């Protein structure tokens, strides 16, 4: 039973060992907005499927070190783009949570909208074609030849009206 | 038990193959006896699948660890409910569940009163039987649920604690019901095509099924999100994980399908499009399974077993190729009756825009999901396509979708005029803009939030007007009292008003999503006993750290008293659970929910002097999400409820010259 | 294997027998298909559909979604379609002459005629 507490302690020790030696490193909160901007760019590769901002250091040892490194770099005054470049150089694009907006990876961002745009254009022309097809035809206006037929027509229409109300 | 349990699978496989063959034979020789024999086979198949399920339930409940599946996913101290639900914790069991639902649906369809004497039945049975053959084959030879171990272990490995949550009891079940449900309209569409019935009978016969499948699919996604929110301790509910995407894509295409079939029903158009949509939706359900089971993409949902995904891919490819072949061979018949539009501004065209956006959104998800594979294949570099990508790409598409949803109710079938639209649109639009200005004044200044909420205001107003004007119009004709008029209006147009209720539900969900995505706050602090953490207007007093034992699990918990603006809200206990038979501890979060926001407290770590680290989040408007989900259920049930009225769909013809 | 018991064998045999019965029994029965002629039903359902269409047009007009001119012409169009179906129905029901019913219909039409003529002044 006590074991579990010890495991917890061990975890803590692992997480905060950096903090014991580097006082200034503690200044950056792992849940602060500035840290989020940096850390959420990078995907954790421990299999948790989250980024290094979300990934819980208690269940994922990999992110502990990574977070520490990030804080170190931030303390050195690196901004998020510089840190991003640094990691991409080491690990390649895979480390990023979303592909770069340049080179081949730009395809990932652009293609959905290109397809959507093309489909929208196609849709526009199709509808126009359909509407035009109708334009050629004449709208029917019922003309009655004489009053007798008109009366009959009116009767019919009021009968239909009655019938229709059953379905109201 | 071993013999019997396996017999259910292999007899099932034999019967499925036999029934498929005899029905095909019956169709080609026009022999009713053969067909009836195949139909008997359907019942036999259902009996087999049900008994296989019961056997596995029995084995799980009685903890017979000599069975590999029982050993892998349960342990003796597990509560009985989780012992049972471990049935869908692993590959083989969840496929068995899928098979069971498939056979259940088959029996329900083939022996339903409405389908009696319908010549489509043998074809539908054959198509669904082909599915059943595949699943029984998988159960019999690839993912065997009733495999014996060489030795009899004393204890099982236990169920992944993440899965020990009420959300996990229901999430896979609803998702599978949704997946299987989409096979039904697919089978009907194919049967209709093979029979050269190009009318809309298949749509009418399956519209209830489609809505039910859609509802289950929605619920599957929602329960999944809810489970992630309370169980994963990360404060989010949707991560655009490949598997989530896999269930979201068919949802999008099925939603598009539900809308575009209305055009076919009323105007006899878009036949090819509708059939394509249902083929795509059906294929996407299989594709999703392929993604989950193959391990080509890393995912938290990934199941261990391997080459299973390949079988799904092959089956999907065969199904799609056959379906496309059938579609192509009937292409001319379908094309012949292409209809016409009478105006640019009409409900029809707005539905087409809706389809464009929904399918576009599905494509974007698909593209993002497979892009890592594409990138690796094309240039050999792996990339990760994660949450930021999908949020950025999907947000504009889905937001424009919401806008179309807001405008659509104001359009008439056939021909709306711009003049009428202006007349109906001006006031809601002005109100929405005023609302947006008010929001900016009140401090909501993020562009997405302002635009999103503006669109939703518009949507709420137009939907309200739709109900209000409908009642008014009905009263003009029938002189009923307002409530009677509203009631009758709704029950006689179940699908339409059910659909509006679903729209409102979607609006609430969107409000929740926008709120929680844009205005969440988060902090992580290490505090001493007796100290407090402040976030927004909350103060959390850390009172005590202790541990307790539940069964074989050790639980470390902290007592936290929460104050809001100085007023005590109560005491809460975020926990960390260490499992007797699982390596990873998990967090049980404390959630204090209100209409406005959720306070989300995670006990992250602690030291022996009592210092503890907490992650505290404020997630705005989470309850709106769950409330919206509830409205979706209500709306969908309202739409499918078997009422006396409202089963007749209006039908429009083009302008006819010959009439005088 | 060790765990094959007599009970298990009995159950398996029972399952196999039930399945065999289910698939084999239809082969020895003669079951005929009922083909209901649907021509008349078709007419009725088309009429129903057209009437609901008329209702929908009515609603859309009253809810300000379509213009007056469109409303008039659409209404005319669908009414004439209903009328032609009604005529067709009459012809079908004509053959098995149901005198009583015919008389009733006649009476109804007459009554309609009268009420219409008395209302004619008001207009609709």
């Amino acid at each position: 039973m006590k074991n579990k507490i010890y495991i917890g302690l061990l975890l803590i020790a692992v997480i905060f060992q950096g903090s014991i030696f580097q006082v200034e490193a503690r200044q950056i909160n792992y849940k602060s907005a500035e840290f989020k901007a940096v850390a959420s760019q990078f995907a954790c590769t421990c299999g948790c499927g989250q980024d290094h901002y979300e990934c819980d250091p208690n269940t994922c040892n990999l992110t502990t070190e990574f977070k520490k490194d990030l804080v170190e770099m931030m303390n050195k005054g690196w901004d998020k783009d510089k840190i991003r470049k640094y990691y991409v150089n080491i690990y390649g694009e895979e480390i990023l949570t979303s592909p770069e907006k340049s080179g081949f990876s730009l395809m990932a961002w652009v293609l959905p909208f290109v397809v959507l745009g093309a489909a929208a254009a196609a849709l526009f022309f199709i509808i126009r074609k359909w509407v035009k097809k109708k334009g050629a035809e004449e709208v029917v206006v019922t003309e009655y030849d004489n009053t007798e037929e008109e009366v009959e027509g009116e009767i019919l229409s009021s009968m239909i009206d009655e019938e229709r109300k059953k379905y109201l | 038990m071993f013999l019997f349990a396996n017999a259910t699978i292999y007899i099932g496989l034999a019967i499925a193959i036999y029934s498929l063959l005899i029905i095909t034979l019956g169709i080609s020789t026009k022999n009713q006896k053969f067909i009836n024999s195949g139909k008997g086979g359907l019942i036999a198949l259902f009996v087999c699948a049900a008994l296989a399920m019961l056997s596995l339930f029995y084995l799980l409940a009685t903890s017979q660890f000599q069975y590999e599946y029982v050993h892998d996913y349960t342990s003796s101290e597990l509560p009985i409910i989780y012992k049972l639900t471990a049935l869908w914790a692993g590959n083989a069991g969840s496929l068995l569940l899928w098979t069971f639902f498939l056979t259940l649906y088959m029996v329900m369809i083939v022996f339903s009163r409405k389908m009696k004497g319908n010549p489509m039945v043998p074809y539908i049975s054959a198509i669904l039987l082909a599915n059943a053959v595949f699943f029984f084959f998988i159960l019999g030879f690839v993912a065997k649920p009733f495999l014996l171990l060489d030795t009899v272990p004393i204890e099982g490995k236990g169920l992944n604690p993440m899965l020990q949550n009420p959300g996990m009891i229901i999430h896979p079940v609803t998702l599978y019901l949704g997946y299987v449900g989409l096979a039904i309209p697919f089978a009907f569409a194919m049967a209709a095509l093979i029979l050269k019935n190009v009318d809309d009978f298949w749509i009418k016969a399956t519209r209830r099924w489609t809505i039910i499948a859609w509802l289950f699919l929605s619920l599957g996604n929602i329960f999944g999100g809810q489970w992630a929110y309370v169980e994963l301790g990360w404060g989010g509910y949707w991560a655009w994980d490949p598997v989530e995407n896999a269930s979201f894509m068919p949802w999008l295409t099925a939603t598009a399908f539900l809308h575009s079939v209305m055009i076919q029903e009323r105007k006899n158009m878009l036949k090819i499009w509708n059939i394509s949509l249902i083929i795509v939706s059906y294929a996407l359900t299989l594709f999703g399974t392929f993604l989950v089971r193959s391990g080509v993409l890393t995912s938290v949902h990934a199941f261990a077993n391997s080459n299973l995904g390949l079988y799904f891919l092959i089956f999907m490819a065969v199904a799609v190729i056959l379906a496309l072949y059938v579609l192509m061979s009937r292409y001319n018949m379908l094309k012949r009756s292409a209809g016409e539009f009478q105006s640019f501004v009409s409900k029809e065209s707005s539905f087409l825009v809706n389809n464009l956006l929904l399918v576009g959104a599905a494509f974007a998800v698909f593209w993002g999901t497979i892009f890592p594979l594409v990138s690796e294949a094309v240039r050999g570099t792996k990339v990760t396509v994660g949450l930021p990508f999908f949020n950025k790409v999907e947000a504009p598409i889905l937001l424009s979708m919401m806008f179309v949803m807001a405008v659509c109710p104001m359009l008439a079938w056939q021909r709306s005029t711009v003049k009428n639209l202006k007349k109906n649109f001006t006031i809601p639009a002005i109100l929405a803009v005023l609302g947006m200005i008010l929001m900016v004044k009140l401090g909501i200044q993020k562009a997405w939030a302002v635009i999103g909420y503006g669109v939703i205001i518009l949507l709420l107003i137009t939907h309200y007007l739709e109900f209000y004007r409908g009642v008014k119009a009905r009263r003009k004709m029938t002189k009923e009292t307002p409530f009677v008029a509203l009631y009758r209006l709704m029950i006689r147009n179940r699908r339409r008003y059910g659909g509006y209720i679903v729209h409102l539900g979607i609006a609430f969900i969107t409000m929740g999503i926008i709120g929680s995505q844009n205005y969440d706050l988060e902090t992580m602090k290490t505090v001493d006993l007796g100290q407090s953490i402040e976030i927004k207007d909350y103060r959390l007093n850390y009172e005590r750290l202790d541990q307790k034992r539940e069964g074989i699990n050790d639980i470390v918990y902290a007592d936290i008293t929460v104050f809001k603006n100085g007023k005590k809200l109560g005491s809460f206990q975020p926990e960390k659970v260490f499992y007797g038979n699982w390596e990873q501890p998990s967090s049980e979060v404390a959630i204090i929910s209100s209409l406005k926001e959720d306070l989300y407290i995670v006990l992250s770590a602690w030291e022996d002097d009592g210092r503890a680290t907490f992650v505290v989040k404020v997630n705005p408007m989470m309850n709106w999400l769950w409330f919206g989900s509830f409205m979706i259920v209500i709306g969908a049930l309202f739409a499918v409820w078997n009422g006396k009225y409202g089963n007749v769909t209006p039908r429009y013809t083009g302008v006819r010259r010959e009439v005088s | 294997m060790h765990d094959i018991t007599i009970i298990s064998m009995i159950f398996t045999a029972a399952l196999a027998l039930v399945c065999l019965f289910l698939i084999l029994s239809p082969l020895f029965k003669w079951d005929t298909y009922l083909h209901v002629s649907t021509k008349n039903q078709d007419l009725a359902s088309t009429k129903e559909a057209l009437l609901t269409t008329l209702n929908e047009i009515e609603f859309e007009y009253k809810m300000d979604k379509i213009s007056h001119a469109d409303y008039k012409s659409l209404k005319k169009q669908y009414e004439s379609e209903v009328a032609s179906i009604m005529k067709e129905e009459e012809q079908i029901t004509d053959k098995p002459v149901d005198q009583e019913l015919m008389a009733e219909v006649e009476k109804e039409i007459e009554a309609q005629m009268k009420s219409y003529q008395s209302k004619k002044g008001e207009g609709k």
Side-chain angles (χ1 to χ4, degrees):
Chain A
M1 188 150 108
K2 267 264 150 67
N3 277 353
K4 306 301 171 189
I5 291 268
Y6 288 134
I7 292 174
L9 287 182
L10 209 69
L11 278 172
I12 282 289
V14 172
I15 299 159
F16 290 102
Q17 61 183 358
S19 62
I20 298 163
F21 305 109
Q22 299 167 302
V23 183
E24 78 280 1
R26 288 291 311 278
Q27 300 306 313
I28 290 169
N29 186 334
Y30 281 164
K31 291 296 173 190
S32 66
E34 47 177 337
F35 185 74
K36 184 177 182 176
V38 174
S40 62
Q41 301 180 86
F42 304 109
C44 183
T45 39
C46 71
C48 60
Q50 292 171 316
D51 59 47
H52 276 295
Y53 169 72
E54 300 284 7
C55 192
D56 182 6
N58 294 306
T59 49
C60 181
N61 327 334
L62 210 103
T63 194
T64 324
E65 289 294 312
F66 200 97
K67 281 185 171 131
K68 232 169 56 195
D69 291 345
L70 285 179
V71 169
E72 222 169 89
M73 282 181 234
M74 285 166 77
N75 283 330
K76 269 193 261 174
W78 291 19
D79 69 349
K80 76 179 216 212
D81 293 326
K82 189 165 178 190
I83 298 175
R84 182 189 171 101
K85 235 178 232 153
Y86 171 80
Y87 277 111
V88 171
N89 273 335
I90 298 176
Y91 297 103
E93 216 177 315
E94 200 183 349
I95 192 81
L96 299 174
T97 44
S98 57
E100 300 252 40
K101 285 175 194 160
S102 62
F104 180 75
S105 298
L106 190 64
M107 282 269 287
W109 295 90
V110 173
L111 194 71
F113 293 102
V114 170
V115 169
L116 204 59
L123 183 64
F124 174 77
F125 285 114
I126 290 171
I127 296 182
R128 199 171 69 167
K129 200 178 107 196
W130 282 340
V131 174
K132 262 195 184 154
K133 208 160 97 188
K134 165 250 163 183
E137 289 174 37
E138 285 284 302
V139 177
V140 185
V141 183
T142 330
E143 293 279 350
Y144 296 109
D145 297 340
N146 51 43
T147 41
E148 201 177 303
E149 240 177 72
E150 195 186 325
V151 171
E152 215 168 274
E154 294 277 336
I155 292 167
L156 205 59
S157 133
S158 71
M159 269 173 74
I160 290 170
D161 242 30
E162 284 302 309
E163 193 89 329
R164 169 177 75 78
K165 285 201 171 142
K166 286 184 203 154
Y167 291 91
L168 206 62
Chain B
M1 204 58 205
F2 173 75
L3 177 71
F4 177 70
N6 278 295
T8 57
I9 304 285
Y10 292 105
I11 292 180
L13 177 61
I15 296 224
I17 294 172
Y18 165 80
S19 305
L20 179 59
L21 291 178
I22 197 93
I23 283 191
T24 325
L25 187 67
I27 290 170
S28 56
T29 60
K30 299 201 170 58
N31 189 332
Q32 186 60 32
K33 278 202 279 187
F34 290 163
I35 305 272
N36 286 347
S37 169
K39 284 190 191 167
L42 289 180
I43 301 180
L45 215 52
F46 172 66
V47 171
C48 286
L51 287 175
M53 286 270 288
L54 285 177
S55 310
L56 192 50
F57 271 137
Y58 171 76
L59 295 176
L60 286 164
T62 51
S63 291
Q64 313 228 4
F65 295 125
Q66 70 270 33
Y67 288 89
E68 193 190 20
Y69 195 81
V70 181
H71 170 255
D72 280 355
Y73 296 105
T74 60
S75 51
S76 49
E77 91 304 330
L78 208 61
I80 183 78
I81 179 77
Y82 292 120
K83 275 187 187 171
L84 293 177
T85 57
L87 186 104
W88 44 88
N91 248 329
S94 55
L95 289 173
L96 179 57
L97 182 71
W98 189 320
T99 314
F100 171 72
F101 286 146
L102 182 65
T103 56
L104 175 70
Y105 277 1
M106 284 199 300
V107 171
M108 282 167 77
I109 292 234
V110 172
F111 293 94
S112 77
R113 218 159 10 99
K114 270 189 196 152
M115 296 304 290
K116 205 169 177 190
N118 192 303
M120 273 167 81
V121 168
Y123 293 87
I124 295 165
S125 315
I127 291 159
L128 291 173
L129 273 168
N131 280 278
V133 169
F134 170 73
F135 277 101
F136 272 104
F137 167 77
I138 292 288
L139 289 176
F141 297 101
V142 185
K144 302 175 196 167
F146 302 109
L147 215 55
L148 275 181
L149 292 167
D150 297 333
T151 53
V152 183
I154 312 156
E155 186 54 272
K157 287 185 191 164
L159 182 64
N160 184 340
M162 300 270 188
L163 303 183
Q164 297 179 32
N165 174 284
M168 264 303 132
I169 299 175
I170 197 153
H171 159 68
V173 177
T174 48
L175 205 56
Y176 288 142
L177 279 170
Y179 277 175
V180 184
L182 283 181
I184 301 211
F186 172 77
F188 270 75
M190 287 302 113
L193 275 190
I194 294 169
L195 276 174
K196 303 186 179 170
N197 286 344
V198 288
D199 62 358
D200 58 357
F201 174 80
W202 70 276
I203 285 174
K204 289 201 166 124
T206 55
R207 67 186 170 201
R208 196 165 276 147
W209 285 100
T210 317
I211 297 176
I212 290 173
W214 180 89
L215 174 63
F216 279 124
L217 209 52
S218 317
L219 282 178
N221 282 322
I222 290 163
F223 282 125
Q226 215 255 350
W227 167 79
Y229 183 65
V230 300
E231 191 60 34
L232 296 186
W234 125 85
Y237 40 85
W238 190 263
W240 296 104
D241 175 276
V243 176
E244 294 169 359
N245 293 346
S247 61
F248 189 48
M249 284 186 283
W251 185 86
L252 287 170
T253 53
T255 311
F257 176 74
L258 279 178
H259 287 92
S260 73
V261 291
M262 283 187 245
I263 303 182
Q264 182 171 346
E265 281 178 36
R266 278 165 209 249
K267 302 204 63 177
N268 206 21
M269 311 175 63
L270 298 183
K271 292 174 176 172
I272 298 167
W273 176 243
N274 286 330
I275 289 168
S276 313
L277 266 183
I278 200 63
I279 294 174
V280 167
S281 304
Y282 169 75
L284 281 174
T285 62
L286 294 175
F287 179 73
T289 320
F290 154 69
L291 279 186
V292 195
R293 321 279 164 157
S294 65
V296 270
L297 295 162
T298 47
S299 151
V300 280
H301 294 73
F303 287 77
N305 196 323
S306 49
N307 55 3
L308 186 57
L310 188 66
Y311 289 95
F312 268 88
L313 192 64
I314 294 169
F315 180 63
M316 182 185 86
V318 171
V320 169
I321 289 169
L322 286 181
L324 286 181
Y325 168 73
V326 174
L327 179 61
M328 283 303 140
S329 63
R330 305 289 186 266
Y331 182 77
N332 283 324
M333 289 177 68
L334 292 164
K335 203 165 175 285
R336 208 182 299 152
S337 48
E340 63 197 17
F341 271 37
Q342 307 211 352
S343 160
F344 264 107
V345 192
S346 64
K347 209 161 219 149
E348 293 92 303
S349 42
S350 77
F351 276 177
L352 287 182
V353 176
N354 141 313
N355 267 237
L356 171 76
L357 290 169
L358 285 171
V359 176
F363 174 77
V365 175
F366 178 77
W367 178 240
T369 311
I370 61 155
F371 189 75
L373 302 176
V374 174
S375 173
E376 202 178 358
V378 173
R379 32 163 225 169
T381 334
K382 264 195 176 168
V383 294
T384 316
V385 181
L387 191 134
F389 172 84
F390 290 106
N391 278 348
K392 272 180 203 147
V393 172
E394 291 293 319
I397 303 179
L398 293 179
L399 199 59
S400 11
M401 188 57 240
M402 296 296 290
F403 181 73
V404 174
M405 212 160 112
V407 179
C408 192
M410 289 183 297
L411 299 173
W413 285 97
Q414 293 232 342
R415 42 184 133 174
S416 268
T417 51
V418 179
K419 207 177 120 201
N420 280 87
L421 186 62
K422 258 188 205 156
K423 198 165 140 195
N424 289 326
F425 197 66
T426 318
I427 294 172
I430 290 173
L431 285 176
V433 170
L434 282 180
M436 283 159 82
I437 294 170
L438 190 69
M439 277 188 280
V440 175
K441 281 265 154 60
L442 288 176
I444 299 176
Q445 283 171 349
K446 291 191 180 179
W448 279 123
V450 174
I451 298 170
Y453 285 131
V455 169
I456 289 168
I457 292 175
L458 187 69
L459 188 151
L460 294 179
I461 295 173
T462 54
H463 278 74
Y464 167 74
L465 282 179
E466 182 70 13
F467 280 91
Y468 174 76
R469 288 201 185 128
V471 169
K472 216 168 109 185
R474 188 179 170 89
R475 289 188 66 203
K476 250 189 215 163
M477 289 184 255
T478 59
K479 314 271 183 295
E480 290 158 338
T481 60
F483 284 108
V484 176
L486 176 65
Y487 174 72
R488 294 218 173 125
L489 181 73
M490 285 176 68
I491 62 157
R492 300 200 182 180
N493 291 287
R494 282 183 174 276
R495 258 205 307 172
R496 169 177 298 180
Y497 289 94
Y500 286 147
I501 296 173
V502 172
H503 283 183
L504 292 175
I506 301 273
F508 277 104
I509 290 181
T510 314
M511 281 194 272
I513 291 173
I514 296 175
S516 60
Q517 292 289 320
N518 286 295
Y519 293 97
D520 56 331
L521 294 170
E522 191 170 11
T523 183
M524 180 162 101
K525 274 217 171 86
T526 308
V527 285
D528 284 327
L529 272 173
Q531 280 187 326
S532 58
I533 300 173
E534 305 218 351
I535 182 168
K536 220 181 156 196
D537 36 18
Y538 293 97
R539 189 159 55 86
L540 288 76
N541 280 0
Y542 168 38
E543 317 274 9
R544 199 162 71 96
L545 183 73
D546 207 346
Q547 67 171 341
K548 60 186 175 189
R549 202 178 163 83
E550 260 177 27
I552 59 163
N553 304 334
D554 285 312
I555 300 173
V556 177
Y557 64 94
D559 265 336
I560 288 183
T561 316
V562 179
F563 297 88
K564 188 182 184 186
N565 295 322
K567 218 182 90 197
K568 189 173 163 181
L569 288 181
S571 243
F572 300 91
Q573 294 184 338
E575 299 174 345
K576 192 122 229 163
V577 187
F578 294 88
Y579 296 91
N581 50 18
W582 206 261
E583 254 176 69
Q584 301 254 336
S586 84
S587 298
E588 287 293 323
V589 297
I591 301 174
I592 301 139
S593 249
S594 71
L595 200 60
K596 194 174 158 222
E597 61 204 10
D598 279 11
L599 183 68
Y600 191 94
I601 311 168
V602 189
L603 172 62
S604 181
W606 56 88
E607 288 169 58
D608 62 350
D609 62 354
R611 277 153 52 87
T613 308
F614 296 94
V615 174
V616 186
K617 291 195 73 174
V618 177
N619 295 318
M621 299 178 84
M622 286 301 294
N623 275 332
W624 296 55
L625 254 159
W626 316 134
F627 176 71
S629 313
F630 182 67
M631 283 188 75
I632 287 184
V633 178
I634 300 282
L637 287 181
F638 184 84
V640 295
W641 202 262
N642 203 352
K644 202 169 149 193
Y645 305 101
N647 288 324
V648 189
T649 315
R651 184 189 293 278
Y652 294 98
T653 45
V655 181
R656 281 200 190 168
R657 230 183 311 194
E658 63 269 35
V659 200
S660 71
Chain C
M1 294 210 181
H2 57 246
D3 142 288
I4 296 176
T5 56
I6 302 289
I7 297 176
S8 177
M9 280 159 78
I10 293 171
F11 271 115
T12 310
L15 173 69
L17 284 177
V18 168
C19 290
L20 277 179
F21 171 77
L22 281 169
I23 56 174
L24 292 183
S25 65
L27 292 178
F28 301 103
K29 255 190 244 162
W30 192 252
D31 206 345
T32 45
Y33 237 14
L34 289 171
H35 268 295
V36 192
S37 119
T38 52
K39 174 70 184 156
N40 213 350
Q41 265 181 327
D42 256 12
L43 270 181
S45 74
T46 321
K47 194 175 135 197
E48 269 189 341
L50 285 170
L51 288 172
T52 47
T53 311
L54 274 170
N55 272 335
E56 196 168 78
I57 292 166
E58 199 73 31
F59 263 106
E60 278 172 347
Y61 173 58
K62 292 222 161 73
M63 289 163 85
D64 265 347
K65 288 183 192 170
I66 47 177
S67 65
H68 187 72
D70 281 342
Y71 165 69
K72 278 275 174 210
S73 71
L74 283 173
K75 195 173 166 159
K76 272 268 154 59
Q77 184 194 333
Y78 289 102
E79 273 183 354
S80 63
E81 276 178 45
V82 178
S84 68
I85 284 179
M86 283 164 106
K87 266 180 208 151
E88 216 173 308
E89 271 180 339
E90 250 169 61
Q91 276 167 6
I92 291 171
T93 44
D94 254 0
K95 278 168 206 161
V97 192
D98 189 339
Q99 290 297 345
E100 246 172 90
L101 196 84
M102 280 303 284
E104 220 170 281
V105 170
E106 210 85 310
K107 238 183 244 172
E108 203 175 300
I109 291 176
E110 230 164 86
Q112 288 262 353
M113 193 87 142
K114 266 182 199 154
S115 77
Y116 171 74
Q117 269 159 352
S118 65
K119 261 199 287 184
K120 202 185 174 188
E122 304 161 30
K124 241 214 134 184

